Each structure stands twice: as structure tokens, then as C-alpha cells.
Amino acid sequence: EAGVAQSPRYKIIEKRQSVAFWCNPISGHATLYWYQQILGQGPKLLIQFQNNGVVDDSQLPKDRFSAERLKGVDSTLKIQPAKLEDSAVYLCASSFSVDTQYFGPGTRLTVL
Amino acid sequence: AQRVTQPEKLLSVFKGAPVELKCNYSYSGSPELFWYVQYSRQRLQLLLRHISRESIKGFTADLNKGETSFHLKKPFAQEEDSAMYYCALSADSNYQLIWGAGTKLIIKP
């Protein structure tokens, strides 16, 4: 089966610019996660969707970050405006059952 | 607070030597623990979970509730084991994972 797809793979922007990331989960996976992974740290959950509803977005900086999963399949994560500290790898993962999460390749964001 | 600690950022061992990657957790209930691995230029993937009690690629991990640990072990390291290893804890009904900072394992020839 096809894995989790993410695009773009790399993005370089200047601070205060906007950026959007796209994720296509594995077909049939109801749960979708967005993580932020800063260099030298483990992934940090930003938001979890169950179908098109938000399960948890408590760690999403809502003043600048937004995410949606309108039809319960693809998802987009947006940052507006970006700050230097947003430089990280943004990981998307999906799961069918409650255990294994399947990860995409990630998007490496550099904010200058 | 729920926390996962991997005390070693880097672990370097020779091929054929035993490997132990340490993971300690902080959680008062009954956790589910996982080990995920990321090989060079590959995506993060599940290696094993404590509920399965299985051996994957020669690796095993035993949950020690008394010591709140879930160390990953392999008796004889192979060069292809070189990777980044993350320990993760699932501690609520939403099955969200709390991650350690990871340990980079290097197997020297």
C-alpha cells in the first residue's frame, strides 16, 4: 500500500512569511497527526484529527498555526506568519487502529 | 507529568557487541510503550511495542514497571542497526504519543 505522502519536502522562507504543508494519509486511516520535530528533540504533537474532527490541538500555537482536514482525508498545516523558532521538520502520521502510527517523510522548514 | 527520557543522545558500539538503549518514563497509570526507529534517509517507523512482547530484527524490550523503564536490547549488534531510536509512551484514551529525544546508535565495523 502507498505510504503517507507529504509535500513539499523542503521549504525555505523568511520570517513573517506564510507557508503551508500538505499531507495525504494512508487510505482508510481515520486518524491523522501533525508533529513538529525540532533538531535534537523528539516529535511534538501539534494536532490530532479523527476523520475531519479535531481530537486535540492543545499544543498548536493557534495565533500563527492552523490546520484543517476538510473531507476527512488530506490535511493542510499552515503557519502565518512564520518565526525563526518554527524552523523544524513537520511530520504527518496516520493510523487505522489505536496503536501503530505510519509516518510521512516530513517537510523540513527553514525560516531565515 | 508524563515524560519519556532517553539519557543517551549517542551510543556507539562495535559490531557483534551487545546493545542497550535506555528509556525511562514517568506515568502513574498503565502505559503502553513503543520503540520507533529512523534509518538514514528513511521515515520514522515502528520497531516494536511492549504489548506484542515480540522480537523484531533481534531487538527486544521489557517493560519494568518498578523501575519505570523500557530499555531496548540486542545481544549482537549489526551495522544495519545504525539509526536513530525513539522511545514513546501512550498514556491516554486518544493514544497520543509522548516521545523521548532519541538516541543515535552507531555500530562500528
Side-chain angles (χ1 to χ4, degrees):
Chain A
E1 66 184 3
V4 176
Q6 288 187 248
S7 67
R9 294 294 309 278
Y10 305 92
K11 191 72 178 179
I12 300 175
I13 61 172
E14 295 188 351
K15 60 183 180 183
R16 291 188 288 274
Q17 285 188 322
S18 302
V19 65
F21 312 127
W22 173 81
C23 173
N24 181 237
I26 293 173
S27 177
H29 283 195
T31 308
L32 185 146
Y33 311 80
W34 281 103
Y35 290 92
Q36 180 192 59
Q37 185 173 22
I38 293 172
L39 187 65
Q41 300 179 19
K44 183 185 88 170
L45 180 70
L46 293 175
I47 188 167
Q48 178 185 350
F49 290 96
Q50 181 76 16
N51 295 308
N52 60 348
V54 176
V55 174
D56 186 349
D57 62 357
S58 59
Q59 298 196 83
L60 187 73
K62 298 181 187 62
D63 57 335
R64 297 184 302 105
F65 286 64
S66 64
E68 60 183 13
R69 193 184 183 199
L70 290 176
K71 296 183 179 179
V73 181
D74 294 6
S75 178
T76 56
L77 176 68
K78 297 179 181 178
I79 308 175
Q80 180 180 8
K83 292 185 175 182
L84 296 176
E85 58 261 37
D86 298 332
S87 293
V89 175
Y90 290 84
L91 296 168
C92 178
S94 69
S95 66
F96 174 75
S97 61
V98 297
D99 48 21
T100 305
Q101 294 185 22
Y102 294 86
F103 284 81
T107 297
R108 183 177 299 277
L109 174 67
T110 302
V111 182
L112 303 175
Chain B
Q2 299 155 6
R3 183 179 299 144
V4 175
T5 303
Q6 293 179 251
E8 303 140 327
K9 285 191 178 295
L10 175 66
L11 182 63
S12 181
V13 302
F14 284 102
K15 176 183 174 181
V19 171
E20 182 176 85
L21 297 160
K22 291 183 167 52
C23 172
N24 291 93
Y25 66 91
S26 173
Y27 179 62
S28 57
S30 294
E32 289 189 50
L33 276 298
F34 303 81
W35 278 99
Y36 277 77
V37 62
Q38 187 167 26
Y39 300 102
S40 180
R41 296 189 180 87
Q42 295 187 28
R43 54 188 72 188
L44 200 54
Q45 59 186 290
L46 178 68
L47 179 62
L48 56 80
R49 51 194 296 240
H50 89 272
I51 289 180
S52 301
R53 303 182 69 83
E54 57 191 345
S55 174
I56 304 293
K57 299 185 178 182
F59 284 97
T60 60
D62 291 319
L63 179 60
N64 186 322
K65 291 186 177 181
E67 296 183 358
T68 60
S69 67
F70 188 57
H71 303 328
L72 184 68
K73 300 177 183 179
K74 184 169 183 176
F76 307 103
Q78 299 174 337
E79 289 186 66
E80 54 264 34
D81 296 329
S82 294
M84 196 75 189
Y85 291 80
Y86 294 93
C87 182
L89 161 72
S90 176
D92 65 24
S93 59
N94 289 326
Y95 300 94
Q96 295 171 6
L97 294 178
I98 298 163
W99 297 77
T103 297
K104 185 173 184 177
L105 177 63
I106 297 175
I107 307 300
K108 297 179 286 189

